[in-house]
Amino acid sequence: MSIGVWVLGDQLWRQQAALQSCPEPVPVILIESHDWVKQRRYHAQKLVLVWSAMRHFAQELEAAGWPVTYAIAPDFATPLRQWIEAHHIHELRIMQPSDRPFRHLIATLDLPCTIKFLPNNHFLWSEADFQQWAAGRKTLVLEYFYRAGRQRFQILMDGKSPVGGKWNYDAENRQPPPTHLKPPSPLRFSADQITKDVIKTVTQGNFATYGHIEPFYWGVTRAQALQVLTHFIEYRLPQFGPYQDAMVVGEETLWHSLLSPYLNLGLLHPQEVIDAALAAYAERQLPLNSVEGFIRQILGWREYMYGLYHYLGADYCQQNFFQHTQPVPAFFWWSDRTQMNCLHHVLSQIERTGYAHHIQRLMILANFALIAGLSPQAVENWFHSVFIDAYDWVMQTNVLGMGLFADGGRLASKPYAASANYIQRMSNYCQGCAYDPKQRVGDRACPFNFFYWHFLARHREVLSHQGRMSVILKNLDKLSATETAAIQQQVQRWYAENL
């Protein structure tokens, strides 16, 4: 009789809690379940990334002396039972899954052994820590959580005060892109034989995938993830801050870190990422606005999303504050079916890479879905399907809460709805577009414009109770009755042609 460890596909870290709980190597199993990935139409590169990273991690454990079983099967239960019986496992140790559906899956498995969960140590705040912070608060504001994290972990602090005298430097980090930007090229990797074998598995398998499977440039090992971190700190972090909200045709990554896939797989730990940024700040006197802006995404936003996901409960995924029900348009899956330049560029980029940065996700994709009245659940499913860094805990709060305001303001202080004016200011997507970003109605009217005003008009009553919306809603009174009616007709015509 012995102890065994099941390493899940997003827990690929030697110091993860279940492995760390064993003073010496014990039997370990990793499982590729083909049925599990058929739940949705995942990006082909997401499957390659996860499975290749799992296979590489299994090799790493084996080299370190762990008896590893790597199973490829339709389900999880069958290889688990066979492995438990073969190794006489009496206690199966699992680090607590990040995602609620996987916790439910494990609860339904009928296994011939005891299951022991170890607290998930891939985050800085445990679920209990977050619940303690949130208890008794009327609102769960990111800024206050972020400040609590800075103080708790003594990050960028001068005693009890923030370094530089300010908690965040958002005002310096929202610059529109200048005409000539020269961001560094992202670090890319060539596929090794393991990755090539996975690409073949995905290509030849019975999987309804999305996007292009090649070229595949993502790292698949901890060593490669560390290279990406080093490359970001050296070449991208110094200029990360000012243009982190900018969007430019042909510049898919700008100064963004590209670390989220590796953090969410467990190949990197948030503490070591923050430590690397702090070390560079101290040693190279990097701009504080860039360093703080990056750390806020890790220590603030990422931890906040994870904490909220578990704090808000299982019914959060059903929230639909505005009662939006329109389906996701076909061009979300096939980018060549839209003439909107901004959407075409972002969607085609996702098809090629599985990646888009946070403003492309929030102010192009989610913004359009919000003002066009798309179903929050359908949109969240799409986000979860197409992004290489997507997991249940990532997408529910980000998409439903931040992007679509489907929770009625439990997360965001106002809906992030914007017209084409924002896109024109923060990008060059409007140049050469079939639509005019200045027009609200007519053949060349930008859909972001007529949907934006239609959204404000049809939800005016509920939006009037959102304090930050009052000034914006007053602009509705400047529209004539004729233009309001024309906007309504334009919206209905768009639905008829695109849905």
Side-chain angles (χ1 to χ4, degrees), residues 353-430:
T353 68
Y355 170 82
H357 71 67
H358 68 284
I359 293 300
Q360 292 173 315
R361 300 188 198 201
L362 177 64
M363 299 308 299
I364 302 295
L365 301 171
N367 177 25
F368 182 82
L370 170 65
I371 60 180
L374 308 188
S375 159
Q377 285 65 45
V379 174
E380 192 273 337
N381 179 67
W382 179 83
F383 267 82
H384 194 153
S385 299
V386 305
F387 281 107
I388 200 155
D389 56 5
Y391 295 89
D392 203 58
W393 70 267
V394 176
M395 287 306 170
Q396 280 197 22
T397 43
N398 272 289
V399 177
L400 299 178
M402 183 68 172
L404 302 181
F405 206 75
D407 62 2
R410 299 185 73 181
L411 191 158
S413 57
K414 71 175 183 66
Y416 278 82
S419 67
N421 182 56
Y422 176 89
I423 300 169
Q424 187 176 38
R425 183 173 74 252
M426 294 305 298
S427 78
N428 62 359
Y429 288 156
C430 295

Side-chain angles (χ1 to χ4, degrees), residues 46-65:
K46 172 70 173 292
L47 300 187
V48 175
L49 174 66
V50 175
W51 287 345
S52 181
M54 288 173 64
R55 295 183 189 188
H56 281 92
F57 188 65
Q59 281 194 348
E60 180 184 332
L61 288 178
E62 279 187 321

Side-chain angles (χ1 to χ4, degrees), residues 196-497:
K196 290 177 181 177
D197 290 343
V198 176
I199 290 173
K200 185 177 180 180
T201 296
V202 175
T203 302
Q204 297 181 354
N206 185 26
F207 307 110
T209 58
Y210 162 83
H212 304 170
I213 197 167
E214 292 184 288
F216 181 89
Y217 295 129
W218 296 98
V220 292
T221 66
R222 172 164 168 77
Q224 290 177 331
L226 287 169
Q227 289 180 54
V228 177
L229 173 59
T230 299
H231 186 271
F232 167 69
I233 297 297
E234 179 70 23
Y235 300 107
R236 306 168 85 83
L237 179 57
Q239 292 298 318
F240 169 78
Y243 304 116
Q244 63 177 283
D245 287 6
M247 298 172 285
V248 180
V249 172
E251 296 292 350
E252 298 175 350
T253 61
L254 293 172
W255 284 271
H256 291 273
S257 72
L258 307 181
L259 294 174
S260 58
Y262 311 119
L263 280 163
N264 294 352
L265 279 174
L267 295 176
L268 294 176
H269 190 274
Q271 186 65 62
E272 68 183 332
V273 172
I274 292 171
D275 288 345
L278 291 174
Y281 173 67
E283 295 165 6
R284 297 166 51 197
Q285 290 77 52
L286 298 187
L288 180 56
N289 64 304
S290 287
V291 175
E292 184 279 320
F294 172 68
I295 287 177
R296 181 157 23 96
Q297 291 192 358
I298 309 298
L299 176 64
W301 193 251
R302 185 173 185 272
E303 296 287 325
Y304 180 65
M305 290 290 103
Y306 181 74
L308 277 176
Y309 170 78
H310 290 289
Y311 180 79
L312 294 174
D315 64 343
Y316 185 80
C317 63
Q318 300 303 321
Q319 302 295 303
N320 191 351
F321 179 71
F322 293 117
Q323 296 301 303
H324 286 168
T325 59
Q326 297 292 349
V328 171
F331 62 74
F332 268 56
W333 298 103
W334 295 279
S335 62
D336 59 354
R337 298 189 184 185
T338 180
Q339 291 183 299
M340 285 179 274
N341 222 24
C342 57
L343 279 165
H344 173 76
H345 279 290
V346 175
L347 291 167
S348 61
Q349 173 184 319
I350 298 168
E351 287 176 358
R352 292 192 306 276
T353 68
Y355 170 82
H357 71 67
H358 68 284
I359 293 300
Q360 292 173 315
R361 300 188 198 201
L362 177 64
M363 299 308 299
I364 302 295
L365 301 171
N367 177 25
F368 182 82
L370 170 65
I371 60 180
L374 308 188
S375 159
Q377 285 65 45
V379 174
E380 192 273 337
N381 179 67
W382 179 83
F383 267 82
H384 194 153
S385 299
V386 305
F387 281 107
I388 200 155
D389 56 5
Y391 295 89
D392 203 58
W393 70 267
V394 176
M395 287 306 170
Q396 280 197 22
T397 43
N398 272 289
V399 177
L400 299 178
M402 183 68 172
L404 302 181
F405 206 75
D407 62 2
R410 299 185 73 181
L411 191 158
S413 57
K414 71 175 183 66
Y416 278 82
S419 67
N421 182 56
Y422 176 89
I423 300 169
Q424 187 176 38
R425 183 173 74 252
M426 294 305 298
S427 78
N428 62 359
Y429 288 156
C430 295
Q431 297 175 15
C433 183
Y435 300 101
D436 186 342
K438 300 298 184 184
Q439 292 187 26
R440 289 192 284 250
V441 294
D443 291 339
R444 293 199 63 227
C446 177
F448 274 90
N449 287 338
F450 57 74
F451 273 129
Y452 173 72
W453 291 103
H454 187 250
F455 168 78
L456 294 181
R458 73 182 185 271
H459 295 303
R460 182 168 192 165
E461 175 59 29
V462 294
L463 290 174
S464 66
H465 300 293
Q466 306 296 325
R468 297 178 64 190
M469 295 295 296
S470 57
V471 175
I472 295 173
L473 290 172
K474 288 180 181 178
N475 291 325
L476 279 172
D477 299 329
K478 300 177 183 179
L479 300 183
S480 67
T482 301
E483 187 172 18
T484 301
I487 288 172
Q488 171 71 23
Q489 292 175 359
Q490 194 109 22
V491 167
Q492 295 305 318
R493 183 163 59 250
W494 191 94
Y495 284 151
E497 294 173 352

Side-chain angles (χ1 to χ4, degrees), residues 22-33:
C22 303
E24 58 185 31
V26 301
V28 172
I29 187 169
L30 295 92
I31 306 170
E32 289 179 22
S33 168

